[in-house]
Amino acid sequence: MNLAQLNDLPVDEATHTFMQCCTSAAWVSGMVQARPFADKQDLETKADTAWQGLTEADYLEAFEGHPQIGNVDTLRAKYANTKELASGEQSSVSEATEQVIESLAQGNADYLEKFGFIFIVCATGKSAAQMVALLQARLPNDKATELANAAEEQRKIFHLRLEKLI
């Protein structure tokens, strides 16, 4: 798809397309309404603008669109709606040792228990061991700090997906 095609999509198709990038209904609505996009930079700027100032509930809704890092079964089954643009984002997890996978699973459980939402990280280009290290580094944070960290990681993810889209 190119930018002109994205700009010309009917609202329902544009909604579905942006939902592939981020599952926050408020962000998707903002992106659909922000069309037309003059160029790639305009798309990126409007994506950030739509993301800024969302509520905690909006961010949590976006996080729900992700599987837990390392949970490949969940990736395949529960989150098929984003699989087109999410493919390859966790590919390094499948290459990890059993010990690293177990550490990732335990860290994810600890994170979810502490913060009430799953660990969000832009996994592209990171090994499973690097994700374990990032998870462990973020676990001591307070909830407000971690919500901001996760929101920034989500922003990176939707930018990568927009890049794949265009």
Side-chain angles (χ1 to χ4, degrees):
M1 174 178 303
N2 63 39
L3 209 51
Q5 292 167 323
L6 180 61
N7 286 337
D8 291 339
L9 286 175
V11 170
D12 61 332
E13 290 181 39
T15 298
H16 174 76
T17 299
F18 286 119
M19 190 66 71
Q20 297 289 310
C21 300
C22 178
T23 57
S24 164
W27 182 83
V28 169
S29 176
M31 291 301 290
V32 170
Q33 293 172 19
R35 297 178 306 154
F37 305 108
D39 53 32
K40 183 180 168 191
Q41 181 60 49
D42 188 40
L43 172 67
E44 292 173 359
T45 299
K46 287 178 176 175
D48 285 341
T49 299
W51 188 243
Q52 294 167 354
L54 293 183
T55 67
E56 180 176 331
D58 296 324
Y59 292 139
L60 294 176
E61 183 180 32
F63 304 161
E64 283 295 314
H66 294 278
Q68 286 187 327
I69 296 291
N71 190 337
V72 178
D73 291 336
T74 302
L75 177 65
R76 289 189 192 117
K78 187 174 180 184
Y79 299 102
N81 68 316
T82 61
K83 70 181 179 181
E84 294 169 29
L85 295 177
S87 64
E89 289 176 3
Q90 292 190 29
S91 60
S92 66
V93 173
S94 63
E95 300 167 2
T97 66
E98 189 61 31
Q99 180 181 4
V100 170
I101 293 293
E102 288 175 18
S103 295
L104 206 46
Q106 184 59 56
N108 272 308
D110 295 344
Y111 186 98
L112 180 60
E113 183 177 330
K114 179 174 182 177
F115 298 113
F117 55 90
I118 66 167
F119 176 65
I120 302 292
V121 64
C122 183
T124 302
K126 293 176 181 68
S127 71
Q130 288 172 314
M131 288 188 279
V132 170
L134 288 168
L135 194 156
Q136 294 302 323
R138 287 171 48 187
L139 263 172
N141 291 335
D142 61 33
K143 185 174 181 177
T145 299
E146 203 43 40
L147 184 66
N149 286 337
E152 174 58 18
E153 292 298 308
Q154 173 65 54
R155 190 187 72 77
K156 292 176 189 176
I157 292 165
F158 70 65
H159 274 284
L160 285 172
R161 291 180 180 176
L162 288 169
E163 180 75 26
K164 287 181 185 178
L165 179 68
I166 304 294

